[in-house]
Structures are given as structure tokens and as C-alpha cells.
Amino acid sequence: MDALGIINFEDNVATVDGLGEYRPVPAMAFLGRYRIIDFILSNMTNSGINNVHVYCKEKPRNLFAHLGTGSHYNINEKRGQLRILFGEKSFSSPVYNNDVANFILNMQYIESDHNPYVVIAPSYFIYSINFNNVLEEHLKSKADVTILYTSTSDAKNSFLACDTLQMDENKRVTWFGKNRGNTKNKYISLEAYVMSKELFIDLVHKAAETSSLYWFKDILRDSEHELKIKGYQIKGYVRCINSLAKYYQTNMELRDRSVAASLFKADWPIYTQTNDSSPSTYAKGSSVKGSVIANGCKIDGTITDSIISRNVTVSKGAVVKDSIILPGSYIGENAKLDHVVVDKYAIIHHVKELVGTDEEPVYVKRRDRI
Amino acid sequence: MRPNLMAAMILAGGRGTRLYGLTKKVAKPAVHFGGKYRIIDFPLSNCANSGVNTVGVLTQYESVLLNAYVAKDQFWGLNTNDGGVYVLTPREKDTTGLEVYRGTADAITQNIDFLDQIDPEYLLILSGDHIYKMDYDDMLKTHKEMEADATIAVLEVSLKEASRFGIMNCDKKGMIKEFEEKPAHPKSNLASMGIYIFNYKTLRKYLMQDDKNEESSHDFGKDIIPTYLKDKKRLATYKFKGYWKDVGTIDSLWEANMDLLKNNNQLDLADESWKIYTENLNVLPAFIGEDASIDNAYITQGAVVLGMAKNSILGTNSYIGKDAKVIDSVINPGAKIGEGARVTRCIVADGVEIGPGVKVGSANSEHIELIDKKVME
């Protein structure tokens, strides 16, 4: 595919409380063994995109460790390249640290790429898509920009603060709005765009000249009349991880194999970094039901309707229910967790009971000992 | 050559006749173990963990899958600048034509050109048939300290078992004085593990001589080691302590799998300091259904459990249907146990399907049953 892949970062509205303090959304652990960025990156490499720029707003450590050279995503290191890019100068305020400023600072890498097209997408939307089909449609429709969107009837609860689209009968975008959760049915922009590299570079410069606080989506909104912007609908599973509640709910619903099957397709593998953990041990007297369990776990207690990541210990007498336990955490004897998100390497030892809800799961900090 | 370089050669040509059913299409070293591993992952990971980066794998019998597998040296981190995994199969040569490997020593002799090119100071000979974790660098330390020409890793076995092994009779310092292959009346309980470190230059000379000897069976245990002893070469032992299993039969393969369920099992595959590496498969974590019942099991990612698993090992992408019962069994990668089926004391081979409601195996069987074909009724 003749396109440069650009994985953009999410705007400042999307914040996952707790987890977000330690890593950007793309680096968050997901469904036991993945990171959120695995989905968009696998979409790109499965589509044959071999040059990928990953823009990182802050805290790049996690992403560097997870992405490496990209060979585990099938990027041929000789032919293509995965670059992790960030604004190397410091920004006087987080509001200046927007995608446009980062694109400008790394413009030499965008300009020197030989591909005529760009595919730009953030990682906090989760879905499976073959970008070849999008590019094909983009060329056929002679659009300047093609935007991926999803149609939702749950806009009151989901995709809050996301961009919305209005389109004419030819799917030409006539209006960009915001989802303020006031109506049920909305077309939600996935902030994923296909266009020529030339136009992308023009728009980036135009955005920077207009306002130093402009995001790329702001300049697109301003250009809705001058440019032919068309929508491309994704019909399958789409979720946006822009809050702790959405992080929690999306993980939880994927415990259902039929839901998981709509995201994980047999001919469309989702790649991730391997950890070479051994299989998990389910001891005598343990009980596990309705759960997703990664490798390297030691389970002596009871687990119901939960997601247990790599190298987690659930001790005897512990009861983990409707919870997400991130890698390397330790749940001590007789601890009871209900609707809890436990961050990496936390130790739950003295506290014997934690109870949250679907909308407000309890969050236990990274490396915390409680 | 880098000074003090040790290269390894893994003998992986064995047919695994007694594992027939699992080895119809793959060589024994490629047989699955512990749900996600293959037997050859053990010596390869040991090499990686011991800093031995150059590894030749000598294959012969049904080796298409094995060759393709070990060639992906990045699985074990052996794709370093100075290292790699090299697949060495019998080949047609200018002077001899195509010859299969006549014995363990001959397999090395036939690839002496490969070794000369690497020019190692030490050569580590391994077998691709055993489940164990060993630090070969520590063994090399002993080899150097003892100023040996060759060092053999030995394991203490019971005197009763000793007649099944090659037995070393040693002096107080652990230098080998006598070697007996499968003695009826063993004098010692130190069994050879088939793991050798040789000074390459000396070994090369002996291999060349052995190659010309028409009476030789070209085997390390039967020919090379006895000749070393006859010539009063210094042969040291390296005592191995820890888990070691030759999984040569269906029963012993099953037992080794069951050992993983024991509390504090010695193999300890969860040890972060000595991981066993294997193929990275793009599979989901294990999915455990709402009505599943799991009691004492070892389950790897990709497995789907809707029924019951008791005292069992469930492999990558294995599937246990609703109301199915899997007891005291090993379900290999990709095997599918249909709804309501019962599997007791079995190894279900890779990708094999057991139909709905079908019963296989029995709680009172003397031997473990191997299910290597689809069973639909």
C-alpha cells in the first residue's frame, strides 16, 4: 500500500483516570495481553503499510519498550521503518503540545517519505479495518480527504466529546460537530483520515499558521467547504477508549467470545509484544469462570467475570469479580475485589475489600501497596 | 574467531519411534510439551540463556516442520550479530554423494566444514530430546577448571535405573576412569545425559580418525568417548542437579506434562531468570466460560474452556466444549474436545478433534492413550 502510516495521539479531552497518569492511552494494557496501540498498528501493517510514524504526546518510555523496531508487527526493518516521534523541544504548556506542533517538528521525516498518500489515525479507537479498501474508495470518489466514521445509536453514553459528522446524500461531509451526549444517533468521526501526502503537509502548515493551539482536526473542520471531504463507514465493532469507564466496559464486553470475534478476525491477526511467560497455573481448589486469563498467572483463588493479565497472582481465598488486573500484580489472601482496575505491579495485601461500579470502577495505582 | 567461543550442535535427527502417532509427521524434537512449547525449545533456550549464540541443529527424520521452526532464531533471541541457528541436514557432497547421518558423531563429522568456518574453541554437543534447564556456561567453567579434553554432564540416577544409561565410573575429583554403556551390574549411579563439551581441535582429530574406521558405529557414547579413554585423554564430569526428563514414550511424555501441575515442580517454567522461549503466536488470552469448571490445570493462551478441566494441560488454541470433561490429560495445541465428550488419561495430538459426546481413555488404563486421529463416535 502506497501510504505512510501516522498514528496520531489523542486530544487532551480523552483522559483515562488513574491509568493515564503513568502512560499515554496507546500504551495501556488491554484484554490481558495487548496494548491499545496494537489494534491500529496491526490494521496498518496488515494493510501492507510498512512505514509507520507513531506520535507520542508524553511519557514515551512505555511505547519504546512495547513497539521496539516493529518487527513483531511484521514491519520489515530493511524495507520499512517504525519511528516513534515526539516534540523534542519542551512545550511551555500542554495546550501547545498538540498534533500539529509535533508534525511540524518532525516534518523532515514526513517530507522524506516516498509514499504519495498518508493514513492518519489515533490509537484510542479500537476496530479492525483494511486500509486498502479505504484508499481504493478514496481514489474512486476523487475526494480530497476520506474520513472513517461509525454510526452509533448510543451517542448519549459512548463517544462523548468525539467529533461528529453530518454528510449529504453523497457522503460528503457538510458539518463537523461534537458529541455532547444529547442525542442517541450520531455519526462519529474516528479521526482517521486518508489523503495525499501533499495535502496533508499543506494542511499542517495552514493549521500552524492559523493558531498555535490548533489540532489537525480543527483545520479539517475549517476546510469543510474548500475541500471535498468524504465519509467511509466502518460497519463492525468500534469503541473509543476515552475514559476509565469506557476502558473498563470495553475490556469487559470482550470477555464474550462472540463480541471478541467481531474485533479479532481469523484473517486479520492483532500483533503484540511477546513476553515468553509460561502457561498459567490454576491450582487445586481455585475457581475461574467467565474470564479472560493471560499467561504466567498463578491462580489459587476465585475469579469471576474478570480480565487477568500476564504474571498476576491471585492468592488463596481471594475473590476477584468484574475486575481488571494488570500485569504483575499480586492479590493477597482473602482479598475481595469487585469492579476494580488494579494497575501494574500493585500489591493488595492489607485491604480486604474494594468495591466499585460499572461507571466508576475503583482504580488501584501502579506499584501501590495497599 | 572470538576467543573462547563455544558453539553448540543439537542432535535432532531422532525418529522418536516410541512416540509414533505424535511423530508421524514431525521429528521428536518438534513434539509439543507443556501446552505451548516444543521439546527443542529447551536446549535452544538453554543456549540463549547461557550465552551460546551459534547453534547448529542436525536434522534428518521428517524435518520440514522442524527445519522451518528452528530457522526462526529470533524466537530464542539467537539472531545476534555473531550468532544464529543453522539447520544442517544430510547433503550431497563432492566426494561422497548423499549420505544420511550414520551416528551421532558422524552427524558432526559430515558438517565439519561448517564448524571449521566458525572455528570455535569449544564445542557443545546436545540432544534435542530432553526436557531440562541447564547453564552450559557453568558447565564450561568446570570443563576449564578441570583442564579437560572433554566434559560429560551426568545425572545421579538410582542403581536400579542405572542399567538403562551410559554409566561413568569416576575418581574422587570427578574425572572419568571408565565408561560402561547400559551395564547389567552398574558400579556407579552417574548417568550420561548425552551432553558433551569438547575442545574442538582435539575432537576434530578424533572425528577424522573415526570417520575412516570401518568398524565404528560413529557414535559419541559407543566410539568417541571410549577412544578418548583408551588414549588417556582427560574426561571430566559435570554433575547436573535439577529436573531432567527423557520424554521417549507416550507415558513419560504424559508424566513430564503432569509434573507441571505439581506444587513447586522443579522445572519451574515460571522462573523469570531462566525463561523457555518459543514461537510467538498471535492468539488471544485463554477464554474461560461462565459454566467452566477448572481444578488443577495448566492452561496457555488461545485455549477456550467451556466445560471441565481437571488435572490437565491445555495447549494453545485448544478447545474444551460445553459439558465436556477432560481429566488427567494433555490436550495439545489446536485439539478440539466436542460438547459433552469425556477424555481421561489421554494425550490428544495437535489439531485432533474428539466429537460431541465421545468417550476416550479410561481412569484405570495401564498406559496413557494417545489420540492421534479424529474420533467422531
Side-chain angles (χ1 to χ4, degrees):
Chain A
M1 187 173 173
D2 296 332
L4 163 68
I6 294 180
I7 299 184
N8 198 359
F9 50 72
E10 66 283 359
D11 64 23
N12 294 331
V13 182
T15 44
V16 178
D17 291 340
L19 291 170
E21 280 175 37
Y22 300 95
R23 76 280 283 169
V25 175
M28 285 175 191
F30 189 79
L31 199 66
R33 72 175 301 230
Y34 300 96
R35 306 279 188 127
I36 287 174
I37 197 171
D38 292 339
F39 294 90
I40 194 68
L41 188 47
S42 299
N43 282 334
M44 286 190 179
T45 61
N46 282 336
S47 303
I49 295 178
N50 229 335
N51 281 291
V52 181
H53 292 177
V54 177
Y55 282 86
C56 184
K57 182 162 55 174
E58 50 177 1
K59 307 181 192 89
R61 192 172 63 192
N62 264 302
L63 273 183
F64 275 108
H66 184 69
L67 298 178
T69 62
S71 64
H72 47 286
Y73 297 94
N74 287 340
I75 289 178
N76 179 319
E77 293 163 45
K78 304 284 180 189
R79 179 78 192 136
Q81 192 177 23
L82 178 111
R83 281 180 189 277
I84 303 173
L85 300 166
F86 43 91
E88 292 198 10
K89 73 168 210 180
S90 58
F91 295 95
S92 49
S93 150
V95 295
Y96 289 104
N97 188 8
N98 52 46
D99 55 354
V100 169
N102 279 269
F103 295 148
I104 293 278
L105 287 167
N106 294 289
M107 189 51 83
Q108 52 176 317
Y109 301 112
I110 298 169
E111 280 172 347
S112 63
D113 189 85
H114 63 274
N115 288 296
Y117 299 99
V118 286
V119 173
I120 308 146
S123 45
Y124 72 134
F125 285 94
I126 289 180
Y127 52 92
S128 281
I129 181 76
N130 185 339
F131 283 115
N132 286 295
N133 300 341
V134 185
L135 181 60
E136 198 178 301
E137 183 59 33
H138 173 77
L139 296 176
K140 215 165 75 188
S141 71
K142 300 199 164 61
D144 296 309
V145 178
T146 299
I147 297 190
L148 265 55
Y149 73 93
T150 182
S151 166
T152 182
S153 55
D154 186 35
K156 284 192 173 179
N157 303 306
S158 299
F159 306 108
L160 292 176
C162 290
D163 283 7
T164 58
L165 304 177
Q166 278 178 22
M167 289 171 284
D168 67 14
E169 66 282 4
N170 296 318
K171 292 215 168 178
R172 178 165 175 178
V173 176
T174 54
W175 173 260
F176 284 90
K178 282 266 175 240
N179 177 22
R180 309 212 182 276
N182 45 6
T183 38
K184 273 185 359 198
N185 296 310
K186 284 268 160 91
Y187 294 133
I188 305 293
S189 160
L190 305 186
E191 297 168 36
Y193 318 115
V194 174
M195 68 192 84
S196 73
K197 198 181 84 174
E198 205 187 330
L199 176 61
F200 174 69
I201 293 172
D202 276 357
L203 287 171
V204 168
H205 286 301
K206 214 169 132 194
E209 283 156 23
T210 310
S211 161
S212 47
L213 299 188
Y214 252 37
W215 288 71
F216 190 74
K217 57 185 174 184
D218 295 322
I219 198 69
L220 271 185
R221 187 192 55 219
D222 285 4
S223 312
E224 70 199 13
H225 297 300
E226 295 142 54
L227 296 176
K228 191 173 160 192
I229 302 178
K230 284 212 154 187
Y232 181 100
Q233 186 177 6
I234 296 201
K235 297 220 168 75
Y237 183 91
V238 180
R239 292 293 180 270
C240 181
I241 311 294
N242 56 358
S243 68
L244 182 61
K246 283 296 150 202
Y247 172 84
Y248 174 82
Q249 291 157 13
T250 307
N251 266 288
M252 281 302 164
E253 70 182 357
L254 287 166
R255 289 182 300 107
D256 183 330
R257 286 175 63 235
S258 61
V259 179
S262 64
L263 176 62
F264 295 89
K265 309 214 162 113
D267 58 352
W268 203 256
I270 305 300
Y271 308 104
T272 190
Q273 175 83 279
T274 180
N275 230 278
D276 299 293
S277 300
S278 63
S280 288
T281 302
Y282 300 62
K284 271 193 186 107
S286 67
S287 164
V288 180
K289 288 182 198 299
S291 295
V292 169
I293 316 275
N295 272 7
C297 297
K298 206 176 165 310
I299 302 164
D300 285 283
T302 298
I303 299 170
T304 352
D305 302 331
S306 293
I307 289 169
I308 311 294
S309 313
R310 182 165 39 75
N311 295 351
V312 164
T313 303
V314 177
S315 308
K316 225 172 154 178
V319 179
V320 176
K321 192 172 161 290
D322 297 308
S323 294
I324 301 171
I325 316 295
L326 266 52
S329 286
Y330 180 92
I331 314 300
E333 283 192 16
N334 303 319
K336 308 260 184 290
L337 307 186
D338 185 354
H339 287 84
V340 180
V341 176
V342 178
D343 207 337
K344 286 171 132 184
Y345 309 111
I347 296 176
I348 296 182
H349 183 57
H350 294 290
V351 174
K352 291 299 176 210
E353 196 160 9
L354 288 168
V355 183
T357 65
D358 259 350
E359 289 305 319
E360 284 184 50
V362 171
Y363 168 76
V364 176
K365 287 202 297 193
R366 185 173 181 269
R367 293 197 182 275
D368 208 0
R369 303 168 69 92
I370 60 174
Chain B
M1 177 190 89
R2 238 175 42 192
N4 296 316
L5 179 79
M6 178 157 80
M9 294 287 252
I10 302 181
L11 301 162
R15 253 171 182 275
T17 318
R18 288 170 303 161
L19 287 176
Y20 191 73
L22 288 175
T23 55
K24 267 184 291 189
K25 276 281 150 213
V26 297
K28 181 176 165 192
V31 165
H32 280 289
F33 173 76
K36 70 175 284 199
Y37 306 97
R38 294 182 188 270
I39 297 172
I40 198 156
D41 288 331
F42 287 83
L44 284 168
S45 301
N46 287 338
C47 280
N49 290 336
S50 306
V52 178
N53 285 342
T54 304
V55 184
V57 180
L58 300 144
T59 65
Q60 178 155 293
Y61 170 78
E62 273 300 350
S63 54
V64 171
L65 186 150
L66 180 61
N67 293 354
Y69 183 69
V70 299
K72 300 201 89 176
D73 41 19
Q74 69 267 30
F75 290 160
W76 306 276
L78 292 167
N79 54 339
T80 59
N81 203 349
D82 64 345
V85 178
Y86 302 88
V87 179
L88 303 165
T89 58
R91 63 203 141 118
E92 199 170 337
K93 294 188 193 81
D94 185 26
T95 50
T96 53
L98 181 65
E99 270 179 11
V100 296
Y101 297 144
R102 295 170 293 173
T104 53
D106 184 51
I108 307 296
T109 311
Q110 285 204 37
N111 290 291
I112 211 80
D113 48 352
F114 166 76
L115 286 169
D116 283 347
Q117 204 186 312
I118 294 165
D119 192 18
E121 185 149 1
Y122 305 101
L123 185 65
L124 171 67
I125 306 287
L126 302 169
S127 132
D129 292 357
H130 302 141
I131 308 277
Y132 66 108
K133 297 199 290 196
M134 187 196 263
D135 184 352
Y136 305 132
D137 193 47
D138 193 54
M139 178 170 168
L140 179 61
K141 223 181 273 166
T142 302
H143 178 78
K144 287 177 185 166
E145 275 164 17
M146 303 300 279
E147 295 173 337
D149 295 299
T151 300
I152 304 178
V154 293
L155 186 75
E156 283 184 30
V157 295
S158 68
L159 273 176
K160 209 172 74 190
E161 283 179 302
S163 30
R164 284 175 34 219
F165 291 94
I167 294 297
M168 309 292 157
N169 301 323
C170 302
D171 67 12
K172 278 182 204 142
K173 285 184 181 150
M175 299 304 287
I176 300 169
K177 292 296 148 209
E178 191 186 9
F179 170 77
E180 292 179 290
E181 184 70 24
K182 298 187 178 149
H185 304 286
K187 291 176 213 157
S188 125
N189 65 345
L190 295 178
S192 166
M193 298 166 72
I195 298 169
Y196 311 93
I197 291 178
F198 290 100
N199 294 341
Y200 178 61
K201 284 208 170 60
T202 316
L203 176 69
R204 193 184 191 288
K205 220 168 63 197
Y206 275 80
L207 287 175
M208 291 301 119
Q209 278 171 18
D210 178 76
D211 191 38
K212 292 190 201 103
N213 180 354
E214 282 177 12
E215 317 224 303
S216 171
S217 54
H218 311 291
D219 185 272
F220 278 106
K222 292 193 194 97
D223 306 290
I224 304 294
I225 298 300
T227 317
Y228 262 63
L229 273 172
K230 205 177 72 201
D231 289 0
K232 302 254 182 304
K233 291 278 168 202
R234 288 180 62 80
L235 282 168
T237 51
Y238 173 74
K239 261 196 205 172
F240 173 74
K241 288 199 173 69
Y243 188 92
W244 184 83
K245 196 109 180 172
D246 179 3
V247 287
T249 63
I250 296 296
D251 281 353
S252 65
L253 179 62
W254 178 86
E255 271 164 32
N257 272 288
M258 289 299 136
D259 286 343
L260 297 169
L261 293 172
K262 288 182 188 153
N263 256 340
N264 309 318
N265 80 84
Q266 274 187 308
L267 190 58
D268 190 12
L269 292 175
D271 177 6
E272 293 275 310
S273 68
W274 201 273
K275 283 187 187 177
I276 302 302
Y277 316 106
T278 186
E279 185 172 6
N280 175 23
L281 293 161
N282 301 300
V283 297
L284 284 152
F287 272 63
I288 314 295
E290 294 289 342
D291 303 314
S293 148
I294 298 174
D295 184 14
N296 199 28
Y298 199 62
I299 302 176
T300 195
Q301 55 199 16
V304 173
V305 189
L306 306 180
M308 172 187 168
K310 190 176 176 185
N311 304 333
S312 294
I313 312 290
L314 308 185
T316 310
N317 288 341
S318 60
Y319 178 92
I320 313 298
K322 217 170 148 247
D323 300 320
K325 286 189 172 154
V326 173
I327 301 167
D328 300 331
S329 293
V330 178
I331 310 301
N332 269 5
K336 189 174 177 217
I337 313 302
E339 202 174 307
R342 246 165 193 263
V343 179
T344 317
R345 281 171 66 74
C346 288
I347 294 180
V348 181
D350 310 22
V352 167
E353 189 181 344
I354 309 284
V358 172
K359 269 190 190 177
V360 289
S362 135
N364 317 312
S365 61
E366 187 193 343
H367 290 290
I368 297 305
E369 195 170 333
L370 171 69
I371 314 293
D372 60 352
K373 282 193 281 294
K374 190 165 164 174
V375 188
M376 291 313 278
E377 52 190 48

